[in-house]
Amino acid sequence: MATNDLNNKSADELKQHLLDLRKEQFNLRMQKGTGQLSQPHQLRRVRRDIARTKFVLGTKK
């Protein structure tokens, strides 16, 4: 998700988005561990989305 889209969300929406991203990251890690991950670039995308969301959440405080 683009930073501009994240800037338009409220702090509660950002926290929920962060929670969803963490769940997705966990699921991708489990798939990687069992050898079922077909798109390894998804891990990198989710990790960067988490960092982007945390950055925007920090600037809102």
Side-chain angles (χ1 to χ4, degrees):
M1 184 174 281
T3 308
N4 292 335
D5 297 335
L6 293 174
N7 283 331
N8 295 332
K9 290 188 174 191
S10 68
D12 290 334
E13 289 174 332
L14 286 172
K15 288 179 185 177
Q16 183 60 41
H17 183 65
L18 185 61
L19 185 64
D20 293 339
L21 286 172
R22 297 254 172 147
K23 287 179 183 177
E24 184 178 354
Q25 183 184 32
F26 176 78
N27 290 333
L28 289 171
R29 278 197 335 247
M30 291 300 112
Q31 287 179 9
K32 181 181 179 188
T34 59
Q36 297 175 350
L37 186 60
S38 61
Q39 299 176 337
H41 68 277
Q42 293 295 328
L43 281 169
R44 184 177 185 184
R45 180 193 58 83
V46 170
R47 190 173 65 243
R48 288 183 176 187
D49 282 346
I50 289 172
R52 198 173 292 124
T53 304
K54 287 174 107 176
F55 175 77
V56 172
L57 193 57
T59 59
K60 291 222 181 240
K61 288 186 178 180

Coordinates of all heavy atoms in Angstrom, one line a residue:
M1 N 0.8 -1.2 0.0 CA 0.0 0.0 0.0 C 0.9 1.2 0.0 O 1.9 1.3 0.7 CB -0.9 0.0 1.2 CG -1.9 1.1 1.3 SD -3.1 1.0 2.6 CE -4.2 -0.2 1.9
A2 N 0.5 2.2 -0.7 CA 1.3 3.5 -0.9 C 1.2 4.3 0.4 O 0.2 4.2 1.1 CB 0.8 4.3 -2.1
T3 N 2.2 5.1 0.6 CA 2.3 5.9 1.8 C 1.2 6.9 1.8 O 0.6 7.3 2.9 CB 3.6 6.6 1.9 OG1 4.7 5.6 1.8 CG2 3.8 7.3 3.2
N4 N 0.8 7.4 0.6 CA -0.3 8.4 0.5 C -1.6 7.8 1.0 O -2.4 8.5 1.7 CB -0.4 8.9 -0.9 CG 0.7 9.7 -1.3 OD1 1.4 10.3 -0.5 ND2 1.0 9.8 -2.6
D5 N -1.8 6.6 0.7 CA -3.1 5.9 1.2 C -3.0 5.7 2.7 O -4.1 5.9 3.3 CB -3.2 4.5 0.5 CG -3.4 4.6 -1.0 OD1 -3.8 5.7 -1.5 OD2 -3.1 3.7 -1.7
L6 N -1.9 5.4 3.2 CA -1.8 5.2 4.7 C -1.9 6.5 5.4 O -2.5 6.6 6.5 CB -0.4 4.6 5.0 CG -0.2 3.2 4.5 CD1 1.2 2.7 4.8 CD2 -1.2 2.2 5.2
N7 N -1.5 7.6 4.8 CA -1.6 8.9 5.5 C -3.1 9.3 5.6 O -3.4 10.1 6.5 CB -0.9 10.0 4.7 CG 0.6 9.9 4.9 OD1 1.1 9.5 6.0 ND2 1.4 10.3 4.0
N8 N -3.9 8.9 4.8 CA -5.3 9.2 4.8 C -6.1 8.4 5.8 O -7.3 8.7 6.1 CB -6.0 9.0 3.4 CG -5.4 10.0 2.4 OD1 -4.9 11.1 2.8 ND2 -5.4 9.6 1.2
K9 N -5.5 7.4 6.4 CA -6.2 6.5 7.4 C -6.0 7.1 8.8 O -5.1 7.7 9.1 CB -5.7 5.1 7.3 CG -6.1 4.4 6.0 CD -5.7 2.9 6.1 CE -6.2 2.1 4.9 NZ -6.0 0.7 5.1
S10 N -7.0 6.7 9.6 CA -6.9 7.1 11.0 C -6.0 6.2 11.8 O -5.6 5.1 11.2 CB -8.3 7.1 11.7 OG -8.7 5.8 11.8
A11 N -5.6 6.5 13.0 CA -4.7 5.7 13.8 C -5.3 4.3 14.1 O -4.6 3.3 14.0 CB -4.4 6.4 15.1
D12 N -6.6 4.3 14.3 CA -7.3 3.0 14.6 C -7.2 2.1 13.3 O -7.0 0.9 13.4 CB -8.7 3.2 15.0 CG -8.8 3.8 16.4 OD1 -7.8 3.6 17.2 OD2 -9.8 4.4 16.7
E13 N -7.5 2.7 12.2 CA -7.4 1.9 10.9 C -6.0 1.4 10.6 O -5.8 0.3 10.2 CB -7.9 2.8 9.8 CG -9.4 3.1 9.8 CD -9.8 4.1 8.7 OE1 -9.0 4.9 8.3 OE2 -10.9 4.0 8.3
L14 N -5.0 2.3 11.0 CA -3.6 1.8 10.8 C -3.3 0.7 11.7 O -2.6 -0.2 11.3 CB -2.7 3.0 11.0 CG -2.7 4.1 9.9 CD1 -1.8 5.3 10.4 CD2 -2.1 3.5 8.6
K15 N -3.7 0.7 12.9 CA -3.5 -0.4 13.9 C -4.1 -1.7 13.4 O -3.5 -2.7 13.5 CB -4.0 0.0 15.3 CG -3.1 1.0 15.9 CD -3.7 1.4 17.3 CE -2.9 2.5 17.9 NZ -3.5 2.9 19.2
Q16 N -5.3 -1.6 12.8 CA -6.0 -2.8 12.3 C -5.2 -3.3 11.1 O -5.0 -4.5 10.9 CB -7.4 -2.5 12.0 CG -8.2 -3.7 11.5 CD -8.3 -4.8 12.5 OE1 -8.4 -4.6 13.7 NE2 -8.1 -6.0 12.0
H17 N -4.8 -2.4 10.2 CA -4.0 -2.8 9.0 C -2.7 -3.4 9.4 O -2.3 -4.4 8.8 CB -3.7 -1.5 8.2 CG -3.0 -1.8 6.9 ND1 -3.6 -2.5 5.9 CD2 -1.8 -1.4 6.5 CE1 -2.7 -2.6 4.9 NE2 -1.6 -2.0 5.2
L18 N -2.1 -2.9 10.5 CA -0.8 -3.5 11.0 C -1.1 -4.9 11.5 O -0.3 -5.8 11.3 CB -0.2 -2.6 12.1 CG 1.1 -3.0 12.6 CD1 2.2 -3.0 11.5 CD2 1.6 -2.1 13.7
L19 N -2.2 -5.1 12.2 CA -2.5 -6.4 12.7 C -2.8 -7.4 11.6 O -2.3 -8.6 11.6 CB -3.8 -6.3 13.6 CG -4.2 -7.6 14.3 CD1 -3.1 -8.0 15.3 CD2 -5.5 -7.3 15.1
D20 N -3.4 -7.0 10.6 CA -3.7 -7.8 9.4 C -2.4 -8.2 8.7 O -2.2 -9.4 8.3 CB -4.6 -7.1 8.4 CG -6.0 -6.9 8.9 OD1 -6.4 -7.6 9.9 OD2 -6.7 -6.0 8.4
L21 N -1.5 -7.2 8.6 CA -0.2 -7.5 8.0 C 0.6 -8.5 8.8 O 1.3 -9.4 8.2 CB 0.6 -6.2 7.8 CG 0.1 -5.3 6.7 CD1 0.9 -4.0 6.7 CD2 0.3 -5.9 5.3
R22 N 0.6 -8.4 10.1 CA 1.3 -9.3 10.9 C 0.8 -10.8 10.8 O 1.5 -11.7 10.8 CB 1.2 -8.9 12.4 CG 1.9 -7.6 12.7 CD 3.2 -7.8 13.4 NE 3.9 -6.5 13.4 CZ 4.6 -6.1 14.4 NH1 4.8 -7.0 15.4 NH2 5.2 -5.0 14.4
K23 N -0.6 -10.9 10.7 CA -1.2 -12.2 10.5 C -0.7 -12.8 9.1 O -0.4 -14.0 9.0 CB -2.7 -12.1 10.6 CG -3.2 -11.9 11.9 CD -4.7 -11.8 11.9 CE -5.3 -11.5 13.3 NZ -6.7 -11.3 13.4
E24 N -0.7 -11.9 8.1 CA -0.3 -12.4 6.8 C 1.2 -12.8 6.8 O 1.5 -13.8 6.2 CB -0.5 -11.2 5.8 CG -0.2 -11.6 4.4 CD -0.4 -10.5 3.4 OE1 -1.0 -9.5 3.7 OE2 -0.1 -10.7 2.2
Q25 N 2.0 -12.0 7.5 CA 3.4 -12.4 7.6 C 3.6 -13.7 8.3 O 4.4 -14.6 7.9 CB 4.2 -11.3 8.4 CG 5.6 -11.5 8.5 CD 6.4 -10.5 9.4 OE1 5.8 -10.0 10.3 NE2 7.6 -10.2 9.0
F26 N 2.8 -14.0 9.4 CA 2.9 -15.2 10.1 C 2.5 -16.4 9.2 O 3.2 -17.4 9.1 CB 2.0 -15.2 11.3 CG 1.9 -16.5 12.0 CD1 2.9 -16.9 12.9 CD2 0.8 -17.4 11.9 CE1 2.9 -18.1 13.5 CE2 0.8 -18.6 12.5 CZ 1.8 -19.0 13.4
N27 N 1.4 -16.2 8.4 CA 1.0 -17.3 7.5 C 2.0 -17.5 6.4 O 2.3 -18.7 6.1 CB -0.4 -16.9 6.9 CG -1.5 -16.9 7.8 OD1 -1.5 -17.7 8.8 ND2 -2.5 -16.1 7.6
L28 N 2.6 -16.5 5.9 CA 3.7 -16.7 4.9 C 4.9 -17.4 5.5 O 5.5 -18.2 4.8 CB 4.1 -15.3 4.3 CG 3.1 -14.7 3.4 CD1 3.5 -13.3 3.0 CD2 2.8 -15.5 2.1
R29 N 5.3 -17.1 6.7 CA 6.4 -17.8 7.4 C 6.1 -19.2 7.6 O 7.0 -20.1 7.4 CB 6.7 -17.1 8.7 CG 7.6 -15.9 8.6 CD 8.2 -15.5 9.9 NE 7.5 -15.9 11.1 CZ 6.9 -15.1 12.0 NH1 6.9 -13.8 11.8 NH2 6.3 -15.6 13.0
M30 N 4.9 -19.5 7.9 CA 4.5 -21.0 8.1 C 4.5 -21.7 6.8 O 5.0 -22.8 6.7 CB 3.1 -21.1 8.7 CG 3.0 -20.6 10.2 SD 4.1 -21.6 11.2 CE 5.3 -20.3 11.7
Q31 N 4.1 -21.0 5.7 CA 4.1 -21.7 4.4 C 5.6 -21.9 3.9 O 5.9 -22.9 3.3 CB 3.4 -20.8 3.4 CG 1.9 -20.8 3.5 CD 1.3 -19.8 2.4 OE1 1.9 -19.3 1.5 NE2 0.0 -19.6 2.6
K32 N 6.4 -20.9 4.3 CA 7.8 -21.1 3.9 C 8.5 -22.3 4.7 O 9.2 -23.1 4.1 CB 8.6 -19.8 4.2 CG 10.1 -19.9 3.9 CD 10.8 -18.6 4.2 CE 12.3 -18.7 3.9 NZ 13.0 -17.6 4.4
G33 N 8.1 -22.4 5.9 CA 8.6 -23.5 6.7 C 8.2 -24.9 6.3 O 9.0 -25.8 6.4
T34 N 7.0 -25.0 5.7 CA 6.5 -26.3 5.3 C 6.8 -26.5 3.8 O 6.5 -27.5 3.2 CB 5.0 -26.4 5.5 OG1 4.3 -25.3 4.8 CG2 4.7 -26.3 7.0
G35 N 7.5 -25.5 3.1 CA 7.8 -25.6 1.7 C 6.7 -25.4 0.8 O 6.7 -25.8 -0.4
Q36 N 5.6 -24.7 1.2 CA 4.4 -24.5 0.4 C 4.4 -23.1 -0.2 O 3.5 -22.7 -0.9 CB 3.2 -24.7 1.2 CG 3.0 -26.1 1.6 CD 1.8 -26.3 2.5 OE1 1.2 -25.3 2.9 NE2 1.4 -27.5 2.8
L37 N 5.4 -22.2 0.1 CA 5.4 -20.8 -0.3 C 5.8 -20.8 -1.8 O 7.0 -21.1 -2.2 CB 6.3 -20.0 0.5 CG 6.4 -18.5 0.3 CD1 5.0 -17.9 0.5 CD2 7.4 -17.8 1.1
S38 N 4.9 -20.4 -2.7 CA 5.2 -20.4 -4.1 C 5.7 -19.0 -4.6 O 6.3 -18.9 -5.6 CB 3.9 -20.7 -4.9 OG 2.9 -19.8 -4.6
Q39 N 5.5 -18.0 -3.8 CA 5.9 -16.6 -4.1 C 6.7 -16.0 -3.0 O 6.2 -15.3 -2.2 CB 4.7 -15.8 -4.5 CG 3.9 -16.3 -5.6 CD 2.7 -15.4 -5.9 OE1 2.2 -14.7 -5.0 NE2 2.2 -15.4 -7.1
P40 N 8.0 -16.3 -2.9 CA 8.8 -15.8 -1.8 C 9.0 -14.3 -1.7 O 9.2 -13.8 -0.7 CB 10.2 -16.5 -2.0 CG 10.2 -17.1 -3.4 CD 8.8 -17.2 -3.9
H41 N 8.7 -13.6 -2.8 CA 8.8 -12.2 -2.8 C 7.7 -11.6 -1.9 O 7.7 -10.4 -1.5 CB 8.7 -11.6 -4.2 CG 7.4 -11.8 -4.9 ND1 7.1 -12.9 -5.5 CD2 6.3 -11.0 -5.0 CE1 5.8 -12.8 -6.0 NE2 5.4 -11.6 -5.7
Q42 N 6.6 -12.3 -1.6 CA 5.6 -11.8 -0.8 C 6.0 -11.5 0.7 O 5.6 -10.6 1.3 CB 4.4 -12.8 -0.7 CG 3.7 -13.0 -2.0 CD 3.0 -11.8 -2.5 OE1 2.5 -11.0 -1.7 NE2 2.9 -11.6 -3.8
L43 N 7.0 -12.3 1.2 CA 7.6 -12.0 2.5 C 8.2 -10.6 2.5 O 8.0 -9.9 3.5 CB 8.6 -13.1 2.9 CG 8.1 -14.4 3.3 CD1 9.2 -15.4 3.4 CD2 7.4 -14.3 4.7
R44 N 8.9 -10.3 1.5 CA 9.6 -9.0 1.5 C 8.6 -7.9 1.4 O 8.7 -6.8 2.0 CB 10.5 -9.0 0.3 CG 11.3 -7.7 0.2 CD 12.3 -7.8 -1.0 NE 13.2 -6.7 -1.1 CZ 14.0 -6.5 -2.0 NH1 14.2 -7.4 -3.0 NH2 14.8 -5.5 -2.0
R45 N 7.5 -8.1 0.6 CA 6.5 -7.0 0.4 C 5.8 -6.8 1.7 O 5.6 -5.6 2.1 CB 5.5 -7.5 -0.6 CG 4.4 -6.5 -0.9 CD 3.2 -7.1 -1.7 NE 2.7 -8.2 -1.1 CZ 1.7 -8.2 -0.1 NH1 1.3 -7.1 0.4 NH2 1.2 -9.3 0.4
V46 N 5.4 -7.8 2.4 CA 4.7 -7.7 3.7 C 5.6 -7.0 4.7 O 5.1 -6.2 5.5 CB 4.2 -9.1 4.2 CG1 3.7 -9.0 5.6 CG2 3.1 -9.6 3.3
R47 N 6.9 -7.4 4.8 CA 7.8 -6.8 5.8 C 7.9 -5.3 5.5 O 7.9 -4.5 6.5 CB 9.1 -7.5 5.7 CG 10.1 -7.2 6.8 CD 11.3 -8.0 6.8 NE 12.1 -7.8 5.6 CZ 12.4 -8.7 4.7 NH1 12.0 -9.9 4.8 NH2 13.1 -8.4 3.6
R48 N 8.0 -4.9 4.3 CA 8.1 -3.5 4.0 C 6.8 -2.8 4.2 O 6.8 -1.6 4.6 CB 8.5 -3.3 2.5 CG 10.0 -3.7 2.3 CD 10.5 -3.5 0.9 NE 11.9 -3.8 0.9 CZ 12.6 -3.6 -0.2 NH1 12.1 -3.1 -1.3 NH2 13.9 -3.9 -0.2
D49 N 5.7 -3.4 4.0 CA 4.4 -2.8 4.3 C 4.2 -2.6 5.8 O 3.7 -1.5 6.2 CB 3.2 -3.6 3.8 CG 3.0 -3.5 2.3 OD1 3.6 -2.5 1.7 OD2 2.3 -4.3 1.7
I50 N 4.7 -3.5 6.6 CA 4.7 -3.4 8.0 C 5.5 -2.1 8.5 O 5.1 -1.3 9.2 CB 5.2 -4.6 8.7 CG1 4.1 -5.7 8.6 CG2 5.5 -4.4 10.2 CD1 4.6 -7.1 9.1
A51 N 6.7 -2.0 7.9 CA 7.6 -0.9 8.2 C 7.0 0.4 7.8 O 7.0 1.4 8.5 CB 9.0 -1.1 7.6
R52 N 6.4 0.4 6.6 CA 5.7 1.6 6.1 C 4.6 2.1 7.0 O 4.4 3.2 7.4 CB 5.2 1.4 4.7 CG 5.0 2.6 3.9 CD 4.6 2.2 2.5 NE 5.8 1.7 1.8 CZ 5.9 0.5 1.1 NH1 4.8 -0.3 1.1 NH2 7.0 0.1 0.5
T53 N 3.8 1.1 7.5 CA 2.6 1.4 8.3 C 3.1 1.9 9.7 O 2.5 2.8 10.2 CB 1.8 0.1 8.5 OG1 1.4 -0.4 7.2 CG2 0.5 0.4 9.3
K54 N 4.1 1.2 10.2 CA 4.6 1.7 11.5 C 5.2 3.1 11.4 O 5.0 3.9 12.4 CB 5.7 0.7 12.0 CG 5.2 -0.6 12.5 CD 6.3 -1.5 12.8 CE 6.5 -1.7 14.3 NZ 7.5 -2.7 14.6
F55 N 5.8 3.4 10.3 CA 6.4 4.8 10.2 C 5.2 5.8 10.2 O 5.3 6.8 10.8 CB 7.1 4.9 8.8 CG 7.6 6.3 8.5 CD1 8.7 6.8 9.2 CD2 7.0 7.0 7.6 CE1 9.2 8.0 8.9 CE2 7.4 8.3 7.3 CZ 8.5 8.8 8.0
V56 N 4.2 5.6 9.4 CA 3.1 6.5 9.3 C 2.4 6.6 10.7 O 2.0 7.7 11.1 CB 2.1 6.1 8.2 CG1 0.8 6.9 8.2 CG2 2.8 6.2 6.8
L57 N 2.2 5.5 11.3 CA 1.6 5.5 12.6 C 2.4 6.3 13.6 O 1.8 7.0 14.5 CB 1.4 4.0 13.1 CG 0.5 3.8 14.3 CD1 -0.9 4.3 14.1 CD2 0.5 2.3 14.7
G58 N 3.7 6.2 13.5 CA 4.6 7.0 14.4 C 4.5 8.5 14.1 O 4.6 9.3 15.1
T59 N 4.3 8.9 12.9 CA 4.2 10.3 12.6 C 2.9 10.9 13.0 O 2.7 12.1 13.1 CB 4.4 10.5 11.1 OG1 3.4 9.8 10.3 CG2 5.8 10.1 10.6
K60 N 1.9 10.1 13.1 CA 0.5 10.5 13.6 C 0.5 10.8 15.0 O -0.4 11.6 15.5 CB -0.5 9.5 13.2 CG -0.7 9.3 11.7 CD -2.2 9.2 11.4 CE -2.3 9.1 9.9 NZ -3.1 10.1 9.4
K61 N 1.4 10.3 15.8 CA 1.4 10.5 17.3 C 1.9 11.9 17.6 O 2.6 12.5 17.0 CB 2.2 9.4 18.0 CG 1.5 8.1 18.0 CD 2.3 7.1 18.8 CE 1.5 5.8 18.8 NZ 2.2 4.8 19.6

